């Protein structure tokens, strides 16, 4: 099927109907088994590593490779597993177990661990084959994702200009990442669901206590995020999950590296956190499930 024999490109070829040109907004097709092109010849190459960069210009982000490596290591400790399994419970509860061919978009997928887990676990649980599509504005994140999960379509793209046709996805995941509700509404099927995960008030509380000691950021509330969600989508369900995970010193370092909490924190507080002998860390997430307001 592919001239260079790359199995990683086949997923793009099989699913070419979902793609829309980010420049002229028209349907795209495959050219020469290696490019995605539109009728106006805007052309995006399928990289040998199995992803497509749809960005129109280079964008620098605060997310670097070290951050994604750390997040992958923390994922492998199982820190996120209970939250991800609850996402799967909520998907099955809403859409049933007949999910063959369902498309799941992870908007802001980073290095792809969450989407990889959700797809693998749902496939095993339902006996279906679901198609995962991960999008992130960070090329570093997508590069890392494409090395780890072959069956998933990975795209570097702007959440404000998703390279997909209207109504393509049964599920959109938006996990610990900013949303673009206008684009989510456009690419979600009318009977699809938007599953957004936001940190709960005790998420990484042990780090938050040290980093934000004495500042107004010490108390965190996700009320505003939930209100913003409800202004754009109809909320069907809100679930909160809270648990604690034992961690060692090395895992603590990776946890500090991967979290935006530490970016605005001065070095001596990071040092304090490392020396604080933290043995357990709190996980606390709020999962919001909703559907489109106007469904035809
Ligand atoms: Zn075009």
């Amino acid at each position: 099927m592919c001239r260079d024999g790359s199995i990683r490109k086949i997923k793009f070829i099989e699913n070419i109907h979902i793609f829309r040109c980010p420049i002229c907004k028209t349907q795209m097709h495959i050219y020469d088994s290696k490019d995605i092109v539109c009728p106006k010849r805007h052309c995006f190459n399928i990289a040998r590593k199995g992803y497509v960069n749809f960005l129109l210009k280079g964008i620098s982000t605060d997310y670097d490779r070290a951050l994604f490596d750390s997040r992958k290591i923390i994922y492998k400790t199982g820190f996120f597993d209970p939250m991800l399994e609850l996402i799967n419970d909520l998907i099955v509860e809403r859409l049933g177990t007949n999910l063959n061919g369902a498309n799941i978009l992870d908007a802001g997928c980073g290095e792809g661990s969450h989407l990889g887990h959700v797809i693998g676990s749902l496939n095993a649980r339902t006996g279906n084959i679901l198609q995962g599509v991960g999008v992130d504005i960070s090329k570093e994140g997508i590069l890392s994702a494409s090395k780890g999960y072959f069956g998933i379509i990975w795209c570097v793209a702007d959440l404000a200009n998703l390279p997909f046709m209207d109504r393509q996805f049964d599920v959109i995941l938006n996990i610990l990442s900013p949303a673009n509700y206008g684009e989510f509404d456009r690419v979600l099927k009318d009977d699809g669901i938007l599953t957004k995960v936001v940190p709960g008030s005790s998420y990484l509380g042990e780090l938050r206590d040290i980093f934000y000691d004495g500042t107004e950021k010490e108390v965190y509330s996700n009320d505003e995020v939930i209100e913003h969600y409800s202004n754009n989508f109809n909320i069907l369900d809100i679930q909160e999950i809270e648990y604690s995970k034992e961690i060692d010193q090395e895992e603590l370092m990776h946890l500090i590296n991967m979290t935006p909490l530490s970016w605005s924190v001065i070095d001596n507080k990071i040092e304090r956190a490392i020396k604080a002998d933290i043995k357990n860390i709190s996980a606390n997430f709020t999962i919001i499930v909703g559907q489109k307001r106007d469904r035809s």
Side-chain angles (χ1 to χ4, degrees), residues 117-178:
H117 182 110
V118 166
I119 293 285
S121 173
L122 276 178
N123 282 349
R125 192 157 148 182
T126 64
N128 296 159
I129 304 287
L130 290 89
Q131 181 58 55
V133 179
V135 166
D136 203 281
I137 200 160
S138 165
K139 190 177 168 185
E140 289 291 350
I142 292 298
L143 253 175
S144 173
S146 66
K147 284 179 198 156
Y149 305 94
F150 297 163
I152 292 175
I153 289 171
W154 301 108
C155 305
V156 185
D158 187 351
L159 253 58
N161 184 19
L162 290 171
F164 308 116
M165 302 294 288
D166 297 357
R167 298 186 181 89
Q168 295 299 321
F169 296 98
D170 301 274
V171 178
I172 296 177
L173 305 174
N174 183 224
I175 303 174
L176 306 173
S177 179

Side-chain angles (χ1 to χ4, degrees), residues 1 7 11 51 90 118 136 151 158 178-179 242 245 267 269 271 295:
M1 196 166 193
I7 194 166
K11 284 287 162 194
Y51 68 91
L90 294 168
V118 166
D136 203 281
D158 187 351
E242 189 165 12
K245 177 92 175 65
D267 284 348
K269 283 196 175 174
E271 209 167 301
R295 296 180 302 137

Side-chain angles (χ1 to χ4, degrees), residues 20-28 37-44:
R20 185 183 91 159
C21 177
I23 301 168
C24 69
K25 324 284 188 206
T26 52
Q27 176 101 46
M28 306 194 84
V37 294
C38 77
K40 292 193 175 162
R41 301 195 179 192
H42 299 128
C43 182
F44 302 88

Side-chain angles (χ1 to χ4, degrees), residues 223-236:
D223 291 351
E224 270 181 38
V225 181
I226 295 171
E227 195 187 330
H228 189 41
Y229 184 112
S230 72
N231 288 336
N232 290 278
F233 274 73
N234 286 333
I235 293 179
L236 299 170

